[in-house]
């Protein structure tokens, strides 16, 4: 087949890809490779199509054939991605490091190496590659968020707090980092900051806002079964609140005889107030539960 015909068929395959016709595109790439087994770009695109359809084994074989024709950072990275998906972490690490041998600033390889080492429970190596990624791209939101998580998992609270704040500066709408921030403030004893961070999440996170709005709508225009639910909830909440206050009072007056309310008591009240649509009170009791668990790690909420 003439080079012009191969180019025409390659453009045809690209058009099928753009239209989402994956099987037709793959068929054309296979035809091209049958005519010209040394067309590396066709191998690369075909491997990517296998990856999109979740066939990692075919993708790996295709990328390996492409590597026989010439080594590139992108090919080694793509190979690393598929090996990571299959759980072959050591092989993925090897492929990704080969990518960096060709281009030490290949950002995606640094990021994926960090995730590989996290899975391999080697946080120090994960931290190293995330820092490398940040040197290459100082505003990379993925790297900053992942670094905050690594520090949190290794109980480096101050470093985690700094990394989480940086991640939020770069991506202010990252609800995961906001939630992590509330936990970090509790770990550091900054309960007021934790409450404020929680409050921010619950007033801005789309899923939570939709939930609270639906609760308010149900209370304003209740169906018969909804009214029964909210009436019962009111009775249960009042009873639970009185029990909570009694425990709190008695524990303050005679701490040697009476225990303070447990985390589970506060979590129950938090959930009840959540279904009342009273987010602020729900957060206060949730914060009490967090504080209780932080100060008494042996007493887990059941």
């Amino acid at each position: 087949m003439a080079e012009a015909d191969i180019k025409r068929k390659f453009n045809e395959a690209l058009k099928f890809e753009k239209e989402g016709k994956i099987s037709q595109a793959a068929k054309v790439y296979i035809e091209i490779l049958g005519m010209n087994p040394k067309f590396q770009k066709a191998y690369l695109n075909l491997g990517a199509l296998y990856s999109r359809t979740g066939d990692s084994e075919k993708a790996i074989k295709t990328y390996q054939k492409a590597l026989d024709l010439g080594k590139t950072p992108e090919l080694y990275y793509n190979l690393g991605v598929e090996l990571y998906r299959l759980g072959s972490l050591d092989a993925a690490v090897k492929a990704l490091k080969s990518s960096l041998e060709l281009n030490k600033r290949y950002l995606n390889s640094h990021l994926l190496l960090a995730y590989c080492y996290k899975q391999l429970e080697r946080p120090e190596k994960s931290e190293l590659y995330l820092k490398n990624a940040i040197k290459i791209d100082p505003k990379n939101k993925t790297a900053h968020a992942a670094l905050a998580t690594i520090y949190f998992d290794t109980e480096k609270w101050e470093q985690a707090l700094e990394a989480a704040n940086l991640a939020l500066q770069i991506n202010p709408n990252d609800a995961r980092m906001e939630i992590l921030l509330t936990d970090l403030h509790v770990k550091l004893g900054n309960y007021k900051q934790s409450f404020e961070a929680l409050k921010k999440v619950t007033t801005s996170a789309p899923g939570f806002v939709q939930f609270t709005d639906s609760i308010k709508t149900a209370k304003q225009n209740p169906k018969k079964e909804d009214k029964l639910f909210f009436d019962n909830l009111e009775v249960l909440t009042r009873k639970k609140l009185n029990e909570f206050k009694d425990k709190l009072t008695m524990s303050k007056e005679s701490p040697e005889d009476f225990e303070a309310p447990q985390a589970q008591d506060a979590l129950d009240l938090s959930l009840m107030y959540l279904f009342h649509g009273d987010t602020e009170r729900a957060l206060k009791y949730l914060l009490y539960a967090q504080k209780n668990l932080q100060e008494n790690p042996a007493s887990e909420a059941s």
Side-chain angles (χ1 to χ4, degrees):
M1 182 178 283
E3 186 176 336
D5 291 330
I6 289 178
K7 186 175 181 180
R8 178 183 58 78
K9 288 190 79 66
F10 187 77
N11 288 333
E12 181 185 350
L14 291 176
K15 184 173 181 292
F16 279 137
E17 278 196 64
K18 190 174 181 181
E19 293 171 353
K21 298 175 180 177
I22 305 302
S23 58
Q24 291 98 315
K27 184 179 178 181
V28 176
Y29 285 130
I30 291 169
E31 287 176 11
I32 292 170
L33 291 167
M35 299 297 177
N36 182 1
K38 293 187 177 181
F39 195 161
Q40 189 184 50
K41 183 65 175 174
Y43 280 116
L44 180 63
N45 289 11
L46 180 60
L49 289 181
Y50 288 140
S51 178
R52 283 171 64 181
T53 57
D55 195 338
S56 289
E57 290 186 0
K58 275 190 178 180
I60 287 169
K61 289 177 182 177
T62 306
Y63 289 140
Q64 286 171 336
K65 287 179 181 178
L67 283 166
D68 290 339
L69 299 173
K71 297 171 173 54
T72 69
E74 182 183 8
L75 270 171
Y76 274 121
Y77 168 74
N78 289 351
L79 183 60
V81 169
E82 301 310 318
L83 290 165
Y84 176 82
R85 286 176 176 169
L86 290 176
S88 302
L89 297 177
D90 290 330
V93 166
K94 185 178 178 181
L96 294 167
K97 286 186 174 180
S98 294
S99 170
L100 293 179
E101 285 174 7
L102 297 173
N103 179 2
K104 65 180 181 181
R105 291 181 62 81
Y106 198 80
L107 176 65
N108 287 339
S109 290
H110 285 284
L111 290 171
L112 188 52
L113 272 166
Y115 283 102
C116 285
Y117 280 118
K118 187 176 189 297
Q119 294 292 324
L120 290 166
E121 297 182 354
R122 295 189 63 186
E124 75 288 348
K125 298 287 284 185
S126 189
E127 178 186 352
L128 172 66
Y129 283 102
L130 288 172
K131 285 182 174 179
N132 288 346
I134 290 168
K135 285 178 184 176
I136 296 166
D137 180 8
K139 292 189 179 295
N140 189 281
K141 61 184 181 182
T142 300
H144 282 287
L147 188 59
T149 303
I150 289 294
Y151 285 143
F152 184 87
D153 291 343
T154 53
E155 299 185 1
K156 297 177 180 177
W157 311 129
E158 294 285 357
Q159 288 166 282
L161 183 63
E162 182 181 357
N165 280 323
L166 279 171
L168 284 166
Q169 286 177 24
I170 295 164
N171 185 20
N173 299 319
D174 190 341
R176 295 169 308 156
M177 283 297 102
E178 290 283 6
I179 292 168
L180 185 71
L181 209 60
T182 67
D183 283 341
L184 283 167
H185 281 307
V186 169
K187 298 291 185 187
L188 292 166
N190 305 329
Y191 298 109
K192 183 178 179 182
Q193 291 95 320
S194 181
F195 176 78
E196 293 301 326
L198 267 173
K199 191 173 180 180
K200 183 179 178 183
V201 174
T202 56
T203 54
S204 61
F208 195 90
V209 172
Q210 290 171 11
F211 171 77
T212 52
D213 285 348
S214 65
I215 291 293
K216 287 176 183 176
T217 301
K219 288 189 74 175
Q220 288 169 357
N221 303 293
K223 298 175 185 176
K224 185 177 180 181
E225 59 272 23
D226 291 337
K227 188 176 186 308
L228 182 62
F229 168 79
F230 286 117
D231 287 346
N232 288 336
L233 181 64
E234 183 69 37
V235 173
L236 287 171
T237 305
R238 195 178 301 114
K239 180 182 177 184
K240 190 71 180 178
L241 182 60
N242 287 336
E243 289 174 357
F244 188 94
K245 286 180 176 178
D246 287 344
K247 283 185 180 180
L248 194 62
T249 300
M250 288 187 293
S251 69
K252 286 181 178 178
E253 291 176 352
S254 304
E256 67 281 358
D257 297 323
F258 298 101
E259 290 185 353
Q262 298 297 303
Q264 189 61 53
D265 297 316
L267 287 172
D268 290 343
L269 271 171
S270 178
L271 189 60
M272 288 176 177
Y273 278 118
L274 199 57
F275 277 95
H276 275 296
D278 192 338
T279 305
E280 190 151 335
R281 282 193 182 181
L283 292 180
K284 285 179 179 177
Y285 285 104
L286 179 60
L287 186 61
Y288 179 95
Q290 285 182 303
K291 182 178 178 182
N292 183 286
L293 288 171
Q294 175 65 16
E295 294 174 350
N296 305 285
S299 63
E300 295 184 2
S302 56

